[in-house]
Amino acid sequence: MGLPPDWLIAQWPAPAWVRAVCTTRSGGVSAGLFESMNLGEHVGDDPACVAANRQALATALGVRPVFMKQVHGVGVLELNESLGDGVQADGALSTQAGLACTVMVADCLPILLAHRDRPLVAAAHAGWRGLAGPAGPRPEGIVESTLTAMARAANCSIAELAPGLLAWLGPCIGPREFEVGSEVRAAFLAGDPASAACFSPLSAGKYLADLPALARLRLGRLGVRAIYGNDGSDAWCTVRQSGFFSHRRCSGRPGAVSGQTGGRMAACIWLD
């Protein structure tokens, strides 16, 4: 693969038939706020530039990245050759070569999953809403729904599948930048009191949230123990590292125009 040198290649003990990559801002043709590898069609970039960037991504990967219409929900789709871009979902899985499960991010957390022995991979878009999931007595967010879909595809239970799974967490807004209100903390604690450890008090009704730690907690509850990538340090923070796109950094810059969010990166995983 001819990848730009700063794109992130997952460092994990996945089998030889699994490939996993996360783009950065480099390698494309977009300009201004979107410089240069913006892959989002919905952020105000020149559509021709986005199309060129997406084609460059497909060429670099050697497979077709399948883009979803992400809505911070818990829907998961299974890829097939007839499936086009733009299907509404926040997770994707694949059991066949040639198609890359792809999630776009610019502060949200991309989670890539692969099985040690089975030809099965998946990607999940985990912002706080998708990670917490709908309100209810049990946490049923994007992690739970993705593993449920993977277990269904493998014709087994999550308990049987999880010990063989590997997870890689990509870049996201870091725990020193992710300021949230008390309602976000409450959404997680309602289903899992252990989530309290992932929030640090900041001021009245405000907290700093550790998104990677919340994801690790959810994965661990389901039996996924082999988790790699983002450890919550500044090196993985999309706000603090200018080589990443960041919604929060872009919207908070001096002179920012309301609604301008900058570009989107993509985390991709596929069977080779």
Side-chain angles (χ1 to χ4, degrees):
M1 297 181 294
L3 303 181
D6 65 339
W7 285 15
L8 306 180
I9 300 175
Q11 301 299 309
W12 58 344
W17 59 80
V18 172
R19 297 286 183 269
V21 171
C22 184
T23 67
T24 62
R25 295 187 62 160
S26 66
V29 299
S30 295
L33 292 174
F34 311 109
E35 185 181 357
S36 64
M37 192 64 179
N38 167 49
L39 296 160
E41 293 180 325
H42 61 295
V43 294
D45 193 6
D46 182 341
C49 290
V50 178
N53 292 340
R54 288 189 173 192
Q55 181 56 54
L57 175 64
T59 299
L61 301 186
V63 296
R64 179 168 75 91
V66 180
F67 290 89
M68 303 175 288
K69 180 182 179 181
Q70 299 171 189
V71 294
H72 297 275
V74 297
V76 181
L77 58 86
E78 182 170 354
L79 304 188
N80 60 68
E81 292 180 354
S82 64
L83 187 70
D85 291 342
V87 177
Q88 182 171 303
D90 283 87
L93 68 91
S94 178
T95 59
Q96 63 184 69
L99 300 170
C101 302
T102 303
V103 292
M104 288 187 295
V105 291
D107 283 340
C108 291
L109 175 69
I111 302 174
L112 303 182
L113 297 155
H115 198 275
R116 297 179 188 273
D117 306 310
R118 301 172 185 260
L120 176 62
V121 294
H125 165 239
W128 79 260
R129 289 180 179 85
L131 198 58
R138 297 176 57 213
E140 295 291 342
I142 188 62
V143 168
E144 289 80 11
S145 60
T146 300
L147 263 67
T148 296
M150 294 179 78
R152 186 181 303 116
N155 195 30
C156 67
S157 68
I158 291 178
E160 293 170 316
L161 185 74
L165 286 177
L166 305 168
W168 184 81
L169 311 183
C172 72
I173 187 170
R176 296 211 290 169
E177 295 288 346
F178 193 22
E179 181 178 332
V180 301
S182 56
E183 76 282 358
V184 175
R185 181 176 181 270
F188 282 95
L189 267 62
D192 185 5
S195 298
C198 302
F199 293 87
S200 301
L202 190 60
S203 60
K206 297 293 183 181
Y207 298 85
L208 288 175
D210 191 334
L211 198 57
L214 286 164
R216 288 172 181 268
L217 190 62
R218 289 297 179 95
L219 289 163
R221 288 181 66 256
L222 295 174
V224 180
R225 308 299 182 194
I227 307 173
Y228 301 85
N230 192 336
D231 59 1
S233 63
D234 284 353
W236 293 92
C237 179
T238 49
V239 177
R240 295 194 170 215
Q241 301 300 327
S242 61
F244 299 135
F245 285 117
S246 168
H247 179 178
R248 189 162 295 204
R249 174 170 18 93
C250 180
S251 60
R253 76 191 191 288
V257 176
S258 177
Q260 287 187 336
T261 65
R264 296 293 185 271
M265 305 178 292
C268 308
I269 187 167
W270 68 100
L271 297 169
D272 187 9

